[in-house]
Amino acid sequence: STADAIHYIKHLLSFLPQNNFESAPIVACEDPSNRGSEVLDGIIPSSANAGYDMKQVILETVANAEFFEIKESFAPNIIVGFAGQLVLGYAAFYGIGAYTYGILTIPVTDRLNVYQYFDGGIVQFCLPMLVGLILAGIVPAIFAWLIGLPVLRLKSDYLAIATLGFAEIIRAVFQWQALGPITNGANMITQIPTFSSFNIENANGEVVLRLSTFVPFLLVAVCIGIMVLLINSTYGRAFKAIREDEIAAEAMGINLPRHKMLSFCISSFF
């Protein structure tokens, strides 16, 4: 949960000095008392080494956590809450979107270090962060359409079991060493751009306008606005009709397979 994430971040920050990151000593990896700073590098924006104030670093990290926490609630809210379909395969679509974003946005100069066991990987280009975020929604939606063709014929517990099995299959595929040049196998993908990329800097590299805290909440507001418009549209009313009574909805002329597939793909996008 978000509270657990904040508690974990505070625990990691306890290993560092309380003024800024520039004064953090460089220590050997063998010292277990300083391993927290190494772990922290994976969740704090890379520009944190440029003299961030500690409170600002915590605020940006919490903003990023809140963005993903709120955004991940959209998928079950659409397919389960409004369409009434018991789907448990959200982890698969979260994973597909995360890997899509990570694979396509890693800087080319860092790919040799990230894919160190696969000679830099196959993908040798880097997309802008916003393009990567959009593709991170489109690719899972495509997978949802493919898996939804056979799976959405099921109902209730059978649908839940089928989608849960799909999530386990996706997890195994991502860790398959044969796909290592693309997914990095069982090794994690690092050097992924964060919202700190939206900060505006001057010629000296100093941040003059910090947008890394504002952008996550802006994106969440846009997503909420899209969801409100969707639910209040004819498609949203059709979703709710299917949830209440599929037989009655079909008798009123609602195309059940089409609207089920639409809700499944939209939820996978988010």
Side-chain angles (χ1 to χ4, degrees):
S1 65
T2 304
D4 295 333
I6 295 174
H7 175 74
Y8 181 65
I9 292 170
K10 290 181 178 180
H11 174 69
L12 293 177
L13 291 175
S14 65
F15 289 95
L16 300 176
Q18 297 301 313
N19 48 5
N20 56 46
F21 282 92
E22 282 186 338
S23 60
I26 299 177
V27 295
C29 296
E30 289 77 9
D31 187 359
S33 63
N34 291 281
R35 287 177 183 170
S37 60
E38 298 176 4
V39 178
L40 190 64
D41 291 337
I43 61 174
I44 296 296
S46 57
S47 56
N49 295 324
Y52 264 16
D53 181 79
M54 187 68 68
K55 293 182 179 179
Q56 182 63 36
V57 173
I58 296 176
L59 181 60
E60 290 189 6
T61 306
V62 172
N64 294 343
E66 288 290 345
F67 166 73
F68 291 107
E69 186 79 17
I70 297 174
K71 181 180 175 296
E72 288 175 1
S73 67
F74 292 161
N77 195 30
I78 295 176
I79 187 66
V80 179
F82 290 105
Q85 306 302 307
L86 186 56
V87 174
L88 298 180
Y90 312 115
F93 302 115
Y94 295 153
I96 293 173
Y99 268 88
T100 299
Y101 174 78
I103 292 170
L104 297 179
T105 58
I106 298 175
V108 177
T109 55
D110 296 329
R111 289 189 178 272
L112 188 59
N113 294 329
V114 176
Y115 291 88
Q116 55 182 328
Y117 301 111
F118 302 99
D119 299 326
I122 295 178
V123 180
Q124 293 299 324
F125 60 87
C126 177
L127 296 180
M129 183 176 178
L130 282 178
V131 177
L133 285 174
I134 295 174
L135 290 177
I138 294 176
V139 174
I142 294 175
F143 274 87
W145 180 76
L146 293 174
I147 191 64
L149 291 175
V151 165
L152 290 180
R153 299 174 183 269
L154 304 174
K155 296 181 180 180
S156 187
D157 296 343
Y158 301 102
L159 176 60
I161 294 172
T163 53
L164 183 61
F166 171 68
E168 287 300 309
I169 292 173
I170 290 297
R171 180 188 62 81
V173 169
F174 281 149
Q175 295 181 346
W176 189 24
Q177 288 297 102
L179 292 179
I182 300 177
T183 63
N184 208 21
N187 309 294
M188 64 180 179
I189 295 181
T190 58
Q191 308 301 324
I192 301 174
T194 63
F195 287 112
S196 60
S197 303
F198 290 101
N199 292 337
I200 300 177
E201 301 178 351
N202 57 20
N204 298 325
E206 299 176 351
V207 178
V208 295
L209 182 59
R210 198 177 303 280
L211 299 177
S212 53
T213 305
F214 170 74
V215 171
F217 293 104
L218 175 63
L219 293 176
V220 168
V222 171
C223 292
I224 293 176
I226 293 174
M227 178 175 292
V228 171
L229 293 176
L230 172 65
I231 298 306
N232 292 327
S233 67
T234 55
Y235 292 104
R237 289 192 287 270
F239 294 162
K240 289 183 280 188
I242 294 174
R243 176 192 63 191
E244 298 300 330
D245 193 326
E246 291 190 10
I247 298 177
E250 189 172 23
M252 295 299 293
I254 296 176
N255 189 326
L256 294 185
R258 179 168 176 254
H259 284 85
K260 285 183 180 180
M261 179 66 75
L262 185 61
S263 65
F264 193 42
C265 293
I266 293 176
S267 66
S268 302
F269 177 87
F270 284 103

